[in-house]
Amino acid sequence: MQRLALDAFADLGAFAIDGIGRLGRAALFFLRVLGASAAVLRRFRLVTVEMLSSGVRSVLIIVVSGIFVGMVLAVQGYEVLQRFGASESLGVLVALSLMRELGPVVTALLFAGRAGSAIAAEIGLMRATDQISAMEMMAVDPVARVVGPRFYGAVFSMPLLSAMFSVMGIVGAWLIGVRLIGIDDGAFWSQMQAAVDVRHDILNGLFKSLVFGVAAGFIAVFEGFHAVPTARGVSSATTRTVVVSSLTVLFLDFIMTAWMFRG
Amino acid sequence: MPASATEPLIDLKGVRFGHGSRTIFDGVDLSIRRGQVVALIGSSGVGKTTLLRLIGGQIRAQKGSVRVAGVNVGELDRKGLYALRRRMGMLFQQGALFTDLSVFENVAFPYRENTALPEALIRTLVLMKLQTVGLRGAAEVMPSELSGGMARRVALARAIALDPMLMMYDEPFTGLDPISVGMIGRLIRRINDAFGMTSIVVTHDLNESLLIADRVILLAEKRVYADLTPAELRSTDDPFVRQFVDGAFEGPVPFHYPAPPLVEDLYRAAPRS
Ligand SMILES: Nc1ncnc2c1ncn2[C@@H]1O[C@H](COP(=O)(O)OP(=O)(O)OP(=O)(O)O)[C@@H](O)[C@H]1O
Ligand SMILES: [Mg+2]
């Protein structure tokens, strides 16, 4: 009994040490990626290639999800608003929800599942097949050539995808609210225009998705680059990318929301 | 740096290296003169790949020194290491071609990353390197469409792109048919002599190494066990070396990874009732 308890303690300790070690390695790697920034941004073409590939990978899922989330918001929002005779404010409700919260957050979650996992698997496989070692032996820093462009690709794609998500969501809400339910078209748009604030709503939302881009992009490249060079190692790096990015995004969202909309 | 012609290109002195508590090398002394082709043999897991990694600076000796062209590899920072590696080429066992780039782009990679040459010149150089390995016609093919032997030849073209002074080959013959083995073997010798390089070839193929190598180095017992010319190798009566030459199963080279006695292990696995 006593032994069992001790073992449990030892396990907990090992878990904590392992976790802290991992966090430390992540911090060092983050500095290394940032250190390679100048080299990466100087060859911006590599970044655009990655933006294209991870962005394009995600566009379809972002557009479709955006429309559906917007439609659901419209149905749910209308149901509540019309009780207070405020159904014309549907546009405001939908736009603010999307720009402040759902756009950045859902986009980041979808991105982690779609593009983040692909980035981790790609880099992990490069490691497992010695491509990373080969690059190092050719005197090319893989952090500058492979990791950096993918990281910055994610950072720059995220706000664009998030904006796309919000726009598609508003379109979906308009389809349901105006075309189907029959809310006044003019009221829908003009109330939205009057209520949405550029700095408070749009810029804050874009800032959020920029932060999510840093988090999701970094987690993907970190997990991929440090994957155990076996089939199982790569697959577990991929899974961990999705799980860790999703949790990190939700956690960061809470922190940023609390800070942005404090008192 | 002092690069006199008589000084060895590679010089290892008293090198110790281990993974965790497991010692791979202890007291490795090895020097290789410029212009030579050296075959590196030894049983699986003895540390042949590890030795190449030590020379390439991907891992550092825990004791002793590894010098390449007079420079102590273990003391270099990343920048110094990269400067040295621009003059080294390494052929990985599976080729390690970049799977998202075509054959042409794979060979062009070192030029694009390490030089500022104009596109037209890069094209010429790439085609010339591909011609050397006989694959100019496959320039636009993707690596996934190549056979193992072809992939290795492309990797060879890529590794010699910047005309290195030192080429390291990790098991270039494994998994190839006899014709490809002969072809790659001759290619290694020809490239070495044509470009004035020095080559280290890790291999299990003793016949081929006897044909192309100036020296054969046998790694065993955590050190350089024997360092012979092909002629000496054929006539040696050291039982250890003989076992390698003859490919005998019974002999001093252990077949098993270090382990406790079998009975002990089996007994431990039995359920304790
Ligand atoms: N990352 C590592 N961690 C722990 N041990 C390792 C690691 N890499 C290699 N080893 C061990 O080091 C020893 C030497 O490995 P190495 O790859 O150099 O062998 P090798 O001589 O190239 O074998 P082979 O002919 O099978 O390729 C092996 O016994 C292996 O178990
Ligand atoms: Mg090996």
Side-chain angles (χ1 to χ4, degrees):
Chain A
M1 186 64 221
Q2 202 178 0
R3 257 204 53 174
L4 262 176
L6 275 181
D7 278 355
F9 259 120
D11 283 354
L12 192 69
F15 182 76
I17 290 170
D18 193 50
I20 291 169
R22 208 173 169 75
L23 218 59
R25 247 175 305 146
L28 287 179
F29 190 65
F30 190 59
L31 291 181
R32 226 181 123 190
V33 174
L34 290 187
S37 296
V40 173
L41 298 177
R42 217 178 309 124
R43 294 175 66 188
F44 203 74
R45 209 186 58 80
L46 291 177
V47 179
T48 39
V49 168
E50 296 306 326
M51 280 177 75
L52 268 180
S53 88
S54 67
V56 167
R57 268 183 207 141
S58 312
V59 160
L60 188 66
I61 193 171
I62 293 290
V63 166
V64 173
S65 320
I67 290 186
F68 275 107
V69 167
M71 294 199 297
V72 169
L73 273 180
V75 173
Q76 294 279 14
Y78 177 77
E79 202 270 322
V80 175
L81 287 175
Q82 55 104 19
R83 284 191 222 166
F84 306 102
S87 53
E88 253 102 63
S89 303
L90 184 65
V92 180
L93 174 81
V94 168
L96 290 186
S97 322
L98 283 169
M99 285 170 185
R100 287 179 175 181
E101 279 303 326
L102 292 171
V105 172
V106 178
T107 302
L109 296 179
L110 292 173
F111 185 91
R114 186 73 188 85
S117 58
I119 290 172
E122 194 181 6
I123 299 180
L125 264 176
M126 290 183 79
R127 155 86 58 205
T129 53
D130 277 338
Q131 294 180 48
I132 300 280
S133 290
M135 208 173 265
E136 281 175 340
M137 284 305 297
M138 283 187 270
V140 176
D141 183 5
V143 171
R145 182 61 177 70
V146 174
V147 169
R150 283 166 177 79
F151 171 71
Y152 279 104
V155 171
F156 296 137
S157 300
M158 198 69 93
L160 297 178
L161 290 170
S162 163
M164 192 181 296
F165 184 96
S166 296
V167 169
M168 294 321 291
I170 290 171
V171 170
W174 176 82
L175 282 176
I176 295 291
V178 175
R179 301 307 299 251
L180 204 70
I181 299 176
I183 298 172
D184 182 58
D185 202 2
F188 181 88
W189 293 112
S190 64
Q191 287 214 14
M192 191 192 298
Q193 198 179 6
V196 173
D197 178 67
V198 170
R199 201 196 72 80
H200 208 244
D201 301 319
I202 299 184
L203 286 187
N204 268 349
L206 288 181
F207 176 75
K208 269 188 181 177
S209 45
L210 203 65
V211 172
F212 295 158
V214 171
F218 176 71
I219 290 167
V221 294
F222 175 76
E223 292 292 351
F225 200 76
H226 295 88
V228 179
T230 59
R232 171 163 304 186
V234 174
S235 92
S236 85
T238 313
T239 315
R240 242 196 337 261
T241 298
V242 178
V243 174
V244 176
S245 319
S246 304
L247 292 179
T248 308
V249 162
L250 293 173
F251 173 73
L252 288 176
D253 183 49
F254 170 70
I255 301 284
M256 283 191 289
T257 309
W259 174 68
M260 282 170 179
F261 298 97
R262 68 196 181 277
Chain B
M1 50 196 80
S4 68
T6 53
E7 182 205 45
L9 180 66
I10 294 176
D11 198 20
L12 278 72
K13 283 218 169 67
V15 169
R16 203 207 91 91
F17 181 83
H19 284 291
S21 63
R22 189 150 168 254
T23 309
I24 312 284
F25 292 132
D26 199 3
V28 170
D29 293 307
L30 173 66
S31 78
I32 298 175
R33 265 191 294 129
R34 287 163 201 273
Q36 287 193 323
V37 174
V38 171
L40 192 61
I41 62 173
S43 43
S44 207
V46 76
K48 303 180 294 294
T49 304
T50 307
L51 192 66
L52 296 190
R53 287 182 182 276
L54 279 166
I55 294 171
Q58 290 192 306
I59 48 178
R60 281 167 206 263
Q62 288 151 355
K63 237 201 263 164
S65 68
V66 177
R67 291 179 170 275
V68 178
V71 185
N72 189 333
V73 176
E75 287 170 358
L76 293 174
D77 56 3
R78 197 196 304 267
K79 223 170 130 213
L81 207 50
Y82 277 13
L84 183 65
R85 284 182 187 163
R86 277 192 204 108
R87 304 194 289 148
M88 286 183 185
M90 177 138 167
L91 186 72
F92 286 80
Q93 188 167 342
Q94 301 306 332
L97 293 178
F98 302 129
T99 36
D100 55 339
L101 300 179
S102 69
V103 165
F104 182 93
E105 284 302 321
N106 260 284
V107 182
F109 188 88
Y111 299 115
R112 295 203 198 287
E113 297 296 321
N114 283 328
T115 71
L117 298 175
E119 187 59 35
L121 188 52
I122 291 182
R123 205 184 117 76
T124 313
L125 287 168
V126 170
L127 291 181
M128 271 162 52
K129 295 296 175 193
L130 282 175
Q131 176 78 11
T132 310
V133 299
L135 285 174
R136 187 166 46 84
E140 294 314 318
V141 174
M142 292 305 283
S144 54
E145 301 162 45
L146 297 174
S147 74
M150 285 159 80
R152 227 167 282 174
R153 275 147 72 198
V154 175
L156 179 53
R158 184 180 70 178
I160 59 170
L162 296 176
D163 297 327
M165 59 179 180
L166 170 68
M167 263 305 295
M168 297 188 277
Y169 302 86
D170 197 355
E171 307 200 10
F173 307 125
T174 311
L176 298 186
D177 62 88
I179 299 175
S180 306
V181 169
M183 185 152 60
I184 299 240
R186 250 172 299 137
L187 207 50
I188 289 173
R189 184 77 235 186
R190 191 152 57 87
I191 289 171
N192 189 77
D193 298 345
F195 297 101
M197 298 190 309
T198 306
S199 305
I200 306 177
V201 187
V202 169
T203 179
H204 293 294
D205 194 320
L206 211 60
N207 287 331
E208 194 57 34
S209 30
L210 288 178
L211 286 180
I212 63 164
D214 300 307
R215 279 163 65 197
V216 178
I217 287 166
L218 173 62
L219 287 182
E221 297 178 348
K222 307 187 193 339
R223 61 190 174 84
V224 173
Y225 184 87
D227 183 346
L228 308 163
T229 65
E232 288 168 342
L233 187 72
R234 283 195 199 91
S235 59
T236 185
D237 46 15
D238 183 311
F240 208 109
V241 182
R242 273 255 70 86
Q243 190 189 349
F244 258 93
V245 179
D246 305 336
F249 182 76
E250 293 296 334
V253 178
F255 165 67
H256 293 284
Y257 192 91
L262 178 63
V263 182
E264 223 172 83
D265 246 2
L266 293 178
Y267 176 72
R268 209 164 2 146
R272 278 166 293 177
S273 48

